Amino acid sequence: MKKLALVIAAATLAVAGCDRGTDKPEVLESEVVTTAENASADAAADQAPAAATQSASTGSSSADAKAFLDSAQERLEKMAEEVSHASWVASTYINMDSQYTEALAVERYTALAVELAQEAAKFDGADLDPETRRMLTMLKQGLVFPAPKDPKLTAELAQIGSKLQGMYGAGKYCPDQNTDAKAAAGGADAEAKCYTLTEMGQIMANSRDPKQLKDLWVGWRKVAPPMKPLYERQVEIGNAGAKELGYDNLSVMWRSKYDMPADAFAADMDKQWNKVKPLYEALHCHVRAKLNEHYGDEVAPATGKIPAHLLGNMWAQEWGNIYDIVKDEDMQAPYDLTQLVVDSGMSEKDMVKTGETFFTSLGFKPLPETFWERSQFVQPRDRDVVCHASAWDLDGKDDIRIKMCINKTGEDLITVHHELGHNFYQRIYSDQPFLYKEGANDGFHEAVGDTIALSITPKYLKQIGLMDEIPGEDKDLGYLMQQALDKIAFLPFGLMVDKWRWQVFNGEVQPGDYNKAWWKLREEYQGIQAPVARSEANFDPGAKYHIPGNTPYARYFLARIQQFQFHRALCEAAGETGPLHRCSIFKNEAAGKKLRNMLAMGASKPWPDAMEALTGQRELDASAIVDYFQPLMVYLQEQNKDRECGW
Ligand code: X8Z
Ligand code: ZN
């Protein structure tokens, strides 16, 4: 059990991200040691725990520290399991009672984790072996949202977390509360209709009616203003908790979990971003021009920022759904994954089976029977659930599950692989001690399933019978465009979400400026803008799952960079010599072994060690993603040559 699944908001534990469930509550994620080059040292010592500085001179011995760690892990593991079950119920049956139960469990877990983190700090000055030191550091950094030691605040934080998660999960948009919107969303039929987020996501993906798109864009965001006071309070309590643990604030704490000092981590993110930015700018320029051709100047101006409702996604974070608008007449994609899924007649469960088969082809153990009995694949009709996809590890052993509201689309087939990546990671590191039952860093956790999904190439689709022939190279550009609309378009979003949160946590942005600061980053990094005027009466960050869900977001940016490094290394291990976008590692023993060995390390070593085990490199390296898209970059530069790019 480690990590529970919870992402529980606030309190936090939860496991790894959307890998709720298991992995430890987010609570623990690690920190640790050293710098990316070499582990050791108290790395982040300059910015991390200054607090609780008891001292070595208390005479604490290495044996004491080890005994303390054994007992701490046992206690946390047990309680994490309780939280996981409470949290599963709260996410799959949203109601007052499940939130009450979850909050209580989270409150207890948080109190224990804070107590243990503070005890761990007593060993700060002790002379310990690197392994013991690493575990203590991870123990101190386990919680995502630590509470201060005050029991009242611990309870309040836990309640806020459950409430926010429930508000997001149960959120709907009912156009009939607003006549204009009702008409836009479908006239008389819309009268009694309320839209779930899943339904709105489908419309955002497929509708080309700008009025309807704008209406849903605005409508969904009505879920968020009531969250704002709760969020403010959550930040206040979480910051107090982080301070008690020796961090200046939550921003420093969140950035201290990457085996390097907090500021070095932020600088590395910027460095990688600068390497991929030319690709993003070229894509932005081309997409803007195509939207302008399709919608005209009124709706989609040829210059400046792109209106955020036109990009095929509620948050404009991935743009693959508007491939039809972006492609040239003669550009053909080798396949339409949604069409293949629909034509194959597969059920939602079959989609998951397809994903499982990929992993087992690489030598992973099949999923346990309980996975199939306990997972949620389809949105229930009779109750509110948190539909945002997540993968859970409830007991740190075999009770792994996914929770999704699957649509039969290519997008969701990819998400199934993403979630299964979490589950297979959780399962393969389940023999590690509790504190190491995590990803090498949280980006690794997010990258596993995506790495596998990069192998969903025509060659693979033919192998599993979804396609008859592997299309010729003339279709490669269309394939790369489809991929870029998801993978490249996402990068600035992946970066800005936590840039916003870091500013909120460190006080640079005050509650009176939350929304303004959000849009400043959206505009600067993504080059998009809100389709209607926004103000502080809005709380647009709250309309994105990971804000009320308190799931750190930098991990997704990391994962986008890492997955291409992983894919490159695995294709090489598989002996593939062609272009990376044509490579699939399906059924490849050598690639499977390499991947499994790295994943089995869990968080037992600093992440550069895990990176090296798989790729031979010890650093994040955006050259893999840049190389993958090189042919597309050449095309985009040609297309953009007479255009004025930028915003
Ligand atoms: O939240 C997720 C996963 C679960 S960890 C579905 N993702 C981010 C998002 O949806 O915003 C995957 C991509 C980014
Ligand atoms: Zn994930």
Side-chain angles (χ1 to χ4, degrees), residues 113 130 245 308 310 335 398 421 479 592 607:
L245 291 177
L310 303 177
Y335 62 78
D398 274 330
Y479 180 72
W607 71 259

Side-chain angles (χ1 to χ4, degrees), residues 5-9 17-18 20 86-95 98-99 102 161-172 196-198 220 376-380 383-392 402-406 419 544-546 548-551:
L6 313 170
V7 170
I8 275 217
C18 283
R20 265 152 128 87
S87 192
W88 176 267
V89 176
S91 289
T92 54
Y93 289 81
I94 301 178
N95 58 47
S98 63
Q99 287 180 16
E102 182 195 41
S162 294
K163 215 179 266 175
L164 283 174
Q165 179 94 256
M167 286 165 85
Y168 187 96
K172 284 176 196 65
T196 64
L197 180 57
T198 311
W220 168 242
Q376 176 198 291
F377 299 141
V378 180
Q379 180 155 16
R383 62 181 196 267
D384 290 322
V385 301
V386 178
C387 270
H388 190 88
S390 53
W392 298 58
I402 65 172
K403 179 185 62 55
M404 286 185 67
C405 299
I406 300 178
E419 298 308 332
K544 175 67 195 163
Y545 171 80
H546 304 70
N550 262 331
T551 306

Side-chain angles (χ1 to χ4, degrees), residues 23 67 97-98 102 134 146 188 231 236 239 258 309 387 389 423 428 452 459 473 476 522 551 585 612 616:
D23 246 293
D97 302 294
S98 63
E102 182 195 41
R134 178 174 176 78
Y231 191 74
E236 204 171 272
N239 264 337
Y258 298 92
H309 61 307
C387 270
N423 279 158
I428 208 161
I452 298 304
K459 170 176 144 186
E473 284 175 19
D476 281 13
R522 293 269 264 167
T551 306
I585 60 164
E612 187 172 24

Side-chain angles (χ1 to χ4, degrees), residues 144-145 231 234-236 238-239 243 248-255 498-510 514 547 550 552:
V144 172
F145 249 69
Y231 191 74
Q234 194 183 37
V235 169
E236 204 171 272
N239 264 337
K243 266 213 168 78
D248 282 353
N249 52 54
L250 278 171
S251 164
V252 177
M253 185 172 171
W254 278 29
R255 290 182 287 115
D498 275 356
K499 278 194 182 278
W500 179 81
R501 253 188 309 212
W502 296 341
Q503 292 173 354
V504 165
F505 292 164
N506 71 18
E508 231 172 280
V509 168
Q510 291 293 314
Y514 276 177
I547 302 298
N550 262 331

Side-chain angles (χ1 to χ4, degrees), residues 402-444:
I402 65 172
K403 179 185 62 55
M404 286 185 67
C405 299
I406 300 178
N407 287 306
K408 291 179 196 166
T409 62
E411 192 176 344
D412 274 7
L413 183 64
I414 305 283
T415 302
V416 162
H417 287 75
H418 175 96
E419 298 308 332
L420 291 180
H422 288 307
N423 279 158
F424 281 100
Y425 204 171
Q426 290 158 347
R427 194 119 179 272
I428 208 161
Y429 60 48
S430 66
D431 290 336
Q432 294 283 352
F434 178 76
L435 287 167
Y436 292 163
K437 286 185 196 185
E438 294 202 53
N441 67 35
D442 55 8
F444 278 64

